[in-house]
Amino acid sequence: GVAGYDDTIRKARELIGEAEHEVVVSAWGSDCVPLRDELNAAEQAGRTVILFCHSTVPFRVGTIYEYGLDEEIIKQKWPTRRIMVAADCRTALIGDIRPDADLGIVTSNPMIVQMAVEHVILDILHLAQLRKGIGNLAEHIKTGEDYRSVIEEQHCRLDLGAEPLPTPIPSR
């Protein structure tokens, strides 16, 4: 596991540095900042670098897929910041940066690593679908509530109707 924010970032940097072919990162823009040097070095070394971000990555490296939302807006919907780093689809760090206590794991379990990478792929496809439906997300999403209504509206357009989606947070 990882213990706290500094350890999470240290381990993320380590994984990026160890990648031989591909680095996949899903993180808030502010959490990409401390990874910048390692990401640039990976790109310079010829690795494929792919970043997914609901906010904005404040620098350019590799291929970046971003919603461009203000982090304060995202915080209204998700108070927990998630960070995921995968190296060569062999090892992954999955961490939650939480108000109460940070949680994280580093694993080479192929099933979990693959699930993490597939999660990023689905996020990228969802972003493409939303952009196709409404254009610039930052113009349409000004609050956490806006985010929810935009997603629901797009799901209706995709003919998912009113079928329930899984709830991403535990029921109390």
Side-chain angles (χ1 to χ4, degrees):
V2 289
Y5 187 75
D6 292 343
D7 195 36
T8 300
I9 294 301
R10 181 192 61 72
K11 191 62 189 175
R13 286 180 173 142
E14 200 177 289
L15 282 185
I16 294 165
E18 289 170 1
E20 293 176 15
H21 307 287
E22 180 185 73
V23 174
V24 176
V25 175
S26 173
W28 290 32
S30 55
D31 296 318
C32 289
V33 173
L35 308 178
R36 182 180 191 161
D37 291 348
E38 287 75 12
L39 291 167
N40 281 327
E43 184 178 43
Q44 293 301 309
R47 317 292 183 253
T48 299
V49 175
I50 299 170
L51 272 67
F52 173 82
C53 184
H54 279 94
S55 57
T56 303
V57 180
F59 56 90
R60 300 293 94 182
V61 65
T63 301
I64 299 175
Y65 298 95
E66 57 193 357
Y67 274 63
L69 300 181
D70 186 290
E71 291 193 1
E72 287 305 312
I73 293 169
I74 308 168
K75 208 178 284 179
Q76 292 171 22
K77 193 83 187 99
W78 292 294
T80 297
R81 301 198 315 270
R82 169 101 14 99
I83 183 169
M84 198 283 291
V85 176
D88 301 327
C89 204
R90 290 180 192 279
T91 311
L93 158 74
I94 304 164
D96 271 358
I97 299 149
R98 311 163 64 94
D100 47 358
D102 300 341
L103 297 173
I105 61 161
V106 177
T107 183
S108 294
N109 178 314
M111 179 188 69
I112 296 173
V113 174
Q114 200 167 358
M115 282 176 65
V117 173
E118 286 171 359
H119 179 85
V120 178
I121 293 168
L122 290 175
D123 272 338
I124 291 167
L125 294 174
H126 195 235
L127 170 61
Q129 191 74 51
L130 290 174
R131 279 195 182 140
K132 188 177 177 200
I134 66 168
N136 182 339
L137 280 89
E139 285 177 12
H140 295 271
I141 300 172
K142 305 286 187 202
T143 67
E145 229 10 78
D146 287 348
Y147 182 85
R148 210 175 65 114
S149 59
V150 162
I151 298 297
E152 286 172 359
E153 184 184 303
Q154 291 306 308
H155 283 189
C156 285
R157 278 199 190 158
L158 293 170
D159 292 331
L160 295 175
E163 297 303 321
L165 291 167
T167 305
I169 50 174
S171 306
R172 294 196 182 260

